[in-house]
Amino acid sequence: TEIYTLSLHDALPILLWKAILSLAKTCQTQVFVSSHSLECIRAVLPLLKDNESEFMLLRAERENGASGITPISGDFFEAALEQNFEIR
């Protein structure tokens, strides 16, 4: 749930992302995370800087009644976060 962000120290979401990335690399697997929390999404920014190829944002969108997924590669994901674009 998203409630965890209300009670955690500011550094904990970053540590959580580091642990997820480390585990995914160790296990050679993909991890899919779903979140509406911009705080949670922005917490990945420090890790993107040296790991752009390890991340991709899959943005769900609806246009003219049709649903779709727009993939955003790690380098564009990083740029969007740095420029405060709405990516949720």
Side-chain angles (χ1 to χ4, degrees):
T1 103
E2 297 297 334
I3 296 172
Y4 81 89
T5 59
L6 298 176
S7 61
L8 295 181
H9 185 276
D10 291 345
L12 288 180
I14 296 168
L15 293 174
L16 179 63
W17 278 116
K18 284 182 180 180
I20 290 170
L21 178 60
S22 176
L23 186 60
K25 285 182 174 183
T26 298
C27 295
Q28 297 179 342
T29 190
Q30 294 180 350
V31 176
F32 290 83
V33 176
S34 174
S35 180
H36 292 281
S37 167
L38 189 55
E39 178 184 53
C40 179
I41 296 168
R42 290 192 62 76
V44 80
L45 186 57
L47 291 176
L48 278 169
K49 302 231 182 266
D50 295 321
N51 299 286
E52 290 92 346
S53 66
E54 301 291 336
F55 288 89
M56 178 173 287
L57 174 68
L58 301 174
R59 186 169 192 255
E61 300 176 309
R62 181 175 296 218
E63 187 173 326
N64 298 324
S67 297
I69 299 292
T70 301
I72 301 172
S73 64
D75 52 342
F76 288 113
F77 184 17
E78 179 182 1
L81 286 173
E82 287 177 335
Q83 295 177 24
N84 294 315
F85 284 116
E86 177 55 59
I87 57 172
R88 296 175 290 169

